[in-house]
Amino acid sequence: MHTVWILTLSMLRRKKLQNLLTALLLLLSALLLGTALTVLLNTENLFEDAHRKTNGSQQILTLDQGLHDPAFVYRWWEEQSGVQVSKLLPYKSLSGLTYNNESLPNLYLYMMNTPELPFGVDELLFAGETSPERIPTPGTVWIPTSLAASSGIGEGDTIGFQAPGGYFELRVSAVVVDVPYGSPFSTSARIWMNDGDYRKHLAAVEGGDRYMMGLRFDDYAKQAEYWTRFEQALNSPYLETRTDFTEISAFYLILNRIIGFVMIFLGTVMAAIALATIGFTVADALLTNYRTIGVLRSMGLTITGITAPYVLQYGLLGIPAIGIGLLLSRFPAAAILENTLSVLRTGDVPLMLHGTGWLILTGILLVLFVLLCAALYASRARHILPAQAIRYGMAEADSGRSTQGNHKGGIGLGHFPVDLVIAARSSTGSRRASLFTGLIALVSSSVLVFGVLLLSSILATGQNAGQWGYDATDISVTIINEPLLARSDFAERLDNDPRIAEYGWYTGASGLLKSDEPSAAGTSMNVYLGLLDGSYDSLGYEVLTGRNPRTSDEVALGLNAAQFAGRTIGDLVDLYIRGEKRTFTITGIYQSVANMSNSARLVMNMPSDSGVQTNLTERTAFVSLQDSADAEEVAKEWNTAYPGALSAASQASLIDAVFGEAVRSLLLPLGMMGILFLTVTCLIVYSVCRIQVRKNSRTYGIYKSIGLSSLRIRRSVTLGIIFVSAAGATVGAIGGIYLLPLLLNRVLSNYGLQELPLAVSLPGTVAAVLFSTAASAAGCWLSSRIVAKTSPRILTVE
């Protein structure tokens, strides 16, 4: 055992830099894996903690169509044992608000007539330092953290609203965590008003009060039984809007699940690279110390005694490195969680991270893999025969091939410039080292390209809006005050404006989709109905398969809605629309990130007996221009011409309001992963090239002795690495574009996206390949400094 320890300590002392690089690589691998695990484990914990603190609802019933008596619905649920019910919350709807003299149009506002706290279910958590009253005081409102964070609104700020009765302003007295309607990227928000302000400012809103209420089950698994009894009491299906827990939680979890999935996958790849690097280093050490191992074996040292130092060496390196990496992972994980789930934070309460046990288990597994990898490669020493090792310094067969090779003719490199010859020999002299370098560049490039692809795809949502489930028009116009501006009058203006290429009137409603196959959600699903007076195709709506509906008896279903109903193109499907059952033929299936594809598309020109046309007001117009560059100017013109009557915004601004936040949230984790992989690439190539430079030191000494400068030699060696890494990075770019998104699609499929709409950025892809190649070149250049620092005589002697 004493001999084993001496050999182990000798390896640690003699190769300090190489050991340091290996430890750093293991640390970075543990850092990435630990960050990913912490983000994944705590995303759900943070949401569940907030949901528990607020006694959050598991279902929200919105009674906005007048199809059921709100008092009856509330009374029935309140009488059920095992179900907690919030107060019945009256509200009216408005679109958009004004802050700092700027309109924020991409908002659907529920203007709540706030009852006294507590609500019973879906309590509000106050995010500020103040302790507000039990209800908003006159002239003030409470707003959700999602609206405050995305718009920069804080306590004490004044915000304005345009209602049919006129424009009014209220001061923000509190910012609250409102779990059901406060998720990131939300385009809806509950504004909590004082009863007097509610009645004064919203009296002219058409349709009277609407209501919502939250339900929380003691045993959520039994909710289907409650709903069966409830619909029996109604003597009909529940025909208004029901939002289930999966929809409430979806957009709190989606971004961090994407981040966590990507980081877990890439962390695993980085750990595999670290293990491969250890294997490469051990295998190279066996070849370098071939004669020494032969001597030790001839002196009676067993294979276990030769293998053990390598295992102990990497165990002593791995345990502290992996431990430090996992400890440090708490900091980037906390930063990512703060960035993506700030809407759930209250005050200055420190972020408590869970999952220590999983991190410890991950660390143990990583250490075991390191030890196993070192033992596996070190066990190759059993094939070393002492006599051959002492005589040849390698296996006899290898010695024979080497000697035979020395008598072979050249391979025709003498006709090329010296720099290229040296570059070629440095890259082909060790095929294993070149292959490993190319593989590292491949992985690094694929990671960088995938990050660029993900960001560019989200940034290009405006150009690919139809593939995300949105329209692809230039301007969205919402008439917010019908008495001031009739739809027909504005339609006449659109017809007479030569700048307009196409437009259509759109509205949304809630419907009930029936399925013949009972599922966990029962036999019915609430779906969002898009109703268009115009052509879906002309306005840029796309489908995955089939086509958009064109007649009143056709429907296109969202992906998840179609899967729930068990229907495909050509099948018939039943929909309840405003209480009436209608049968439609499915013409297409589409994906939509909005509503998680729990939606359907219908045309507006339905028979009057359906009740749709006479009971819904189409107040939103999607407008395509002859020249898209005029969108901002035309929207501004209409807002100026009809102040208080409509709200017009370019699609670019609406898309940015939703997806800009996603881009900002992704920059930190994707940037961190890019930097980590570039760092790892540089470190690994440095380590590999340093080994090769030491092996070829005599050759470089001869080059210097015949007049080649150190700079020229280093430049030539680096050029060889550039060739190898550029080839690997190019292949990696293809993998980053075509292979990694396939894995991400598995995560997104639960959120209504079957295929992530990709937008390849050629400049970004080229930059990623160049950065990966540059990291490899930097590692090689740094490792070759020994050539410049050492004299030709010493190099030749070595």
Side-chain angles (χ1 to χ4, degrees):
M1 190 63 188
H2 180 66
T3 304
V4 170
W5 275 111
I6 291 176
L7 290 172
T8 302
L9 294 175
S10 173
M11 291 177 180
L12 290 173
R13 280 196 306 268
R14 284 189 298 109
K15 299 182 178 180
K16 295 186 180 67
L17 183 58
Q18 185 174 310
N19 290 329
L20 177 63
L21 294 177
T22 302
L24 186 57
L25 182 58
L26 291 171
L27 185 152
L28 294 177
S29 303
L31 175 66
L32 192 54
L33 276 174
T35 301
L37 277 174
T38 305
V39 168
L40 279 177
L41 293 171
N42 286 274
T43 294
E44 207 146 339
N45 283 335
L46 286 172
F47 172 75
E48 289 176 354
D49 286 347
H51 196 256
R52 184 174 57 254
K53 288 178 183 176
T54 61
N55 201 36
S57 59
Q58 293 162 329
Q59 291 178 341
I60 296 176
L61 308 187
T62 305
L63 300 131
D64 58 351
Q65 301 179 56
L67 301 177
H68 301 298
D69 178 12
F72 173 82
V73 173
Y74 177 75
R75 187 168 59 253
W76 190 92
W77 283 103
E78 191 181 33
E79 291 171 353
Q80 306 307 304
S81 60
V83 183
Q84 300 176 60
V85 186
S86 73
K87 292 181 178 179
L88 194 61
L89 304 173
Y91 76 93
K92 294 184 179 181
S93 299
L94 293 179
S95 295
L97 59 81
T98 302
Y99 173 62
N100 278 346
N101 297 320
E102 291 186 7
S103 177
L104 306 178
N106 194 32
L107 283 172
Y108 185 82
L109 303 177
Y110 299 96
M111 310 300 291
M112 311 300 297
N113 187 0
T114 313
E116 278 198 9
L117 298 176
F119 295 160
V121 173
D122 286 330
E123 301 293 354
L124 302 177
L125 300 177
F126 292 90
E129 299 178 356
T130 59
S131 299
E133 303 291 333
R134 294 167 66 86
I135 58 173
T137 56
T140 68
V141 291
W142 300 339
I143 66 170
T145 49
S146 55
L147 176 59
S150 62
S151 305
I153 303 173
E155 292 181 12
D157 291 339
T158 299
I159 54 178
F161 306 89
Q162 184 64 54
Y167 180 79
F168 64 96
E169 292 184 339
L170 298 170
R171 183 176 59 84
V172 177
S173 61
V175 176
V176 297
V177 176
D178 185 6
V179 173
Y181 289 92
S183 64
F185 327 121
S186 178
T187 56
S188 61
R190 295 200 285 196
I191 307 296
W192 302 91
M193 301 179 66
N194 174 271
D195 176 69
D197 294 328
Y198 179 87
R199 299 186 183 282
K200 174 183 176 182
H201 297 299
L202 302 179
V205 175
E206 61 183 25
D209 285 345
R210 303 174 182 182
Y211 296 88
M212 64 175 64
M213 53 185 282
L215 305 178
R216 184 180 177 90
F217 300 88
D218 293 346
D219 183 358
Y220 186 67
K222 296 181 179 179
Q223 57 91 16
E225 300 175 14
Y226 285 101
W227 274 94
T228 299
R229 297 202 305 270
F230 174 55
E231 292 186 336
Q232 289 173 349
L234 282 178
N235 292 319
S236 76
Y238 176 74
L239 301 171
E240 304 219 37
T241 304
R242 181 181 77 183
T243 306
D244 289 307
F245 181 75
T246 53
E247 296 173 77
I248 295 172
S249 62
F251 287 99
Y252 285 102
L253 307 179
I254 181 172
L255 193 61
N256 280 353
R257 280 182 175 169
I258 292 174
I259 293 171
F261 165 80
V262 172
M263 293 182 76
I264 282 284
F265 174 74
L266 299 181
T268 304
V269 170
M270 186 179 288
I273 291 173
L275 294 176
T277 304
I278 290 173
F280 176 86
T281 306
V282 171
D284 187 82
L286 291 179
L287 294 177
T288 303
N289 300 315
Y290 207 93
R291 181 172 278 114
T292 302
I293 294 172
V295 171
L296 292 173
R297 290 203 63 185
S298 68
M299 295 173 62
L301 191 63
T302 64
I303 291 297
T304 302
I306 293 173
T307 303
Y310 293 100
V311 177
L312 287 174
Q313 174 191 3
Y314 288 104
L316 293 174
L317 292 173
I319 291 173
I322 290 171
I324 293 171
L326 292 175
L327 287 174
L328 292 177
S329 69
R330 312 284 280 188
F331 297 103
I336 291 171
L337 290 167
E338 287 275 8
N339 189 36
T340 56
L341 289 179
S342 59
V343 295
L344 293 177
R345 298 297 309 283
T346 57
D348 297 324
V349 179
L351 184 65
M352 301 297 294
L353 298 179
H354 306 278
T356 303
W358 283 102
L359 289 182
I360 293 174
L361 178 60
T362 301
I364 293 173
L365 288 175
L366 281 175
V367 171
L368 289 177
F369 279 123
V370 168
L371 296 177
L372 182 62
C373 182
L376 183 64
Y377 278 87
S379 65
R380 295 181 180 182
R382 67 166 54 92
H383 301 297
I384 297 177
L385 301 177
Q388 292 181 9
I390 295 171
R391 181 175 180 180
Y392 302 111
M394 61 184 75
E396 186 176 2
D398 294 334
S399 177
R401 283 194 294 268
S402 175
T403 305
Q404 185 181 14
N406 290 335
H407 296 289
K408 287 182 178 180
I411 58 174
L413 293 178
H415 300 290
F416 292 93
V418 174
D419 291 0
L420 289 179
V421 173
I422 297 175
R425 288 191 180 278
S426 66
S427 59
T428 60
S430 175
R431 294 179 181 177
R432 185 177 56 182
S434 297
L435 180 63
F436 194 62
T437 300
L439 180 63
I440 298 304
L442 183 151
V443 174
S444 174
S445 174
S446 64
V447 170
L448 294 177
V449 168
F450 176 65
V452 170
L453 178 66
L454 187 58
L455 288 177
S456 64
S457 297
I458 297 176
L459 287 171
T461 306
Q463 288 75 45
N464 300 328
Q467 298 176 34
W468 291 87
Y470 297 106
D471 66 285
T473 55
D474 299 311
I475 302 176
S476 174
V477 184
T478 302
I479 297 177
I480 58 178
N481 197 335
E482 191 79 22
L484 291 180
L485 178 63
R487 184 184 72 86
S488 57
D489 293 339
F490 188 69
E492 183 178 353
R493 173 167 183 159
L494 293 176
D495 291 331
N496 296 325
D497 193 330
R499 297 172 298 180
I500 308 302
E502 187 81 29
Y503 73 91
W505 291 94
Y506 182 91
T507 191
S510 178
L512 190 72
L513 176 65
K514 298 295 291 182
S515 173
D516 299 330
E517 301 176 4
S519 66
T523 60
S524 62
M525 170 193 281
N526 273 101
V527 293
Y528 174 84
L529 301 177
L531 300 152
L532 181 68
D533 182 6
S535 168
Y536 281 102
D537 297 320
S538 298
L539 299 181
Y541 285 95
E542 297 186 18
V543 292
L544 288 173
T545 57
R547 60 173 176 80
N548 282 305
R550 296 170 184 166
T551 63
S552 60
D553 59 352
E554 295 179 343
V555 65
L557 290 181
L559 186 65
N560 285 344
Q563 290 175 350
F564 172 83
R567 298 290 194 274
T568 187
I569 296 172
D571 292 345
L572 300 178
V573 66
D574 292 334
L575 279 171
Y576 284 84
I577 304 174
R578 296 200 62 82
E580 295 192 19
K581 181 180 177 180
R582 293 285 308 275
T583 301
F584 297 89
T585 301
I586 301 174
T587 62
I589 295 174
Y590 63 91
Q591 64 178 14
S592 174
V593 69
N595 307 109
M596 298 173 63
S597 289
N598 298 324
S599 56
R601 294 174 184 167
L602 300 167
V603 295
M604 184 66 71
N605 55 334
M606 294 181 176
S608 58
D609 62 357
S610 71
V612 175
Q613 198 166 8
T614 56
N615 287 282
L616 293 177
T617 306
E618 326 85 285
R619 297 187 302 175
T620 298
F622 293 138
V623 183
S624 293
L625 302 178
Q626 300 286 358
D627 186 354
S628 299
D630 296 334
E632 292 289 350
E633 179 184 342
V634 173
K636 183 177 180 180
E637 176 188 316
W638 289 343
N639 284 325
T640 303
Y642 302 103
L646 62 72
S647 174
S650 67
Q651 191 204 49
S653 63
L654 298 178
I655 292 293
D656 181 67
V658 178
F659 290 92
E661 185 178 348
V663 171
R664 290 187 289 272
S665 298
L666 284 170
L667 282 175
L668 174 62
L670 291 179
M672 184 187 82
M673 285 185 284
I675 293 172
L676 282 180
F677 269 87
L678 287 176
T679 303
V680 165
T681 300
C682 185
L683 292 177
I684 292 176
V685 174
Y686 179 95
S687 181
V688 171
C689 289
R690 186 177 177 84
I691 293 172
Q692 298 308 308
V693 167
R694 288 193 177 277
K695 280 185 176 182
N696 298 322
S697 60
R698 179 172 299 177
T699 303
Y700 299 145
I702 295 172
Y703 289 161
K704 291 185 73 172
S705 67
I706 62 176
L708 290 180
S709 67
S710 299
L711 178 61
R712 191 172 182 182
I713 296 171
R714 295 179 67 192
R715 190 172 58 198
S716 299
V717 172
T718 304
L719 184 62
I721 289 298
I722 289 176
F723 289 152
V724 172
S725 59
T730 303
V731 176
I734 297 172
I737 293 173
Y738 294 104
L739 297 182
L740 294 185
L742 295 178
L743 299 174
L744 184 58
N745 285 340
R746 298 178 63 87
V747 177
L748 295 176
S749 61
N750 293 328
Y751 294 90
L753 284 179
Q754 178 176 297
E755 301 172 0
L756 177 68
L758 299 178
V760 179
S761 169
L762 184 58
T765 302
V766 172
V769 171
L770 292 178
F771 272 114
S772 179
T773 305
S776 300
C780 180
W781 180 261
L782 292 173
S783 70
S784 64
R785 285 182 302 173
I786 188 173
V787 176
K789 292 182 176 180
T790 313
S791 69
R793 183 178 61 82
I794 295 176
L795 282 172
T796 305
V797 170
E798 287 183 353

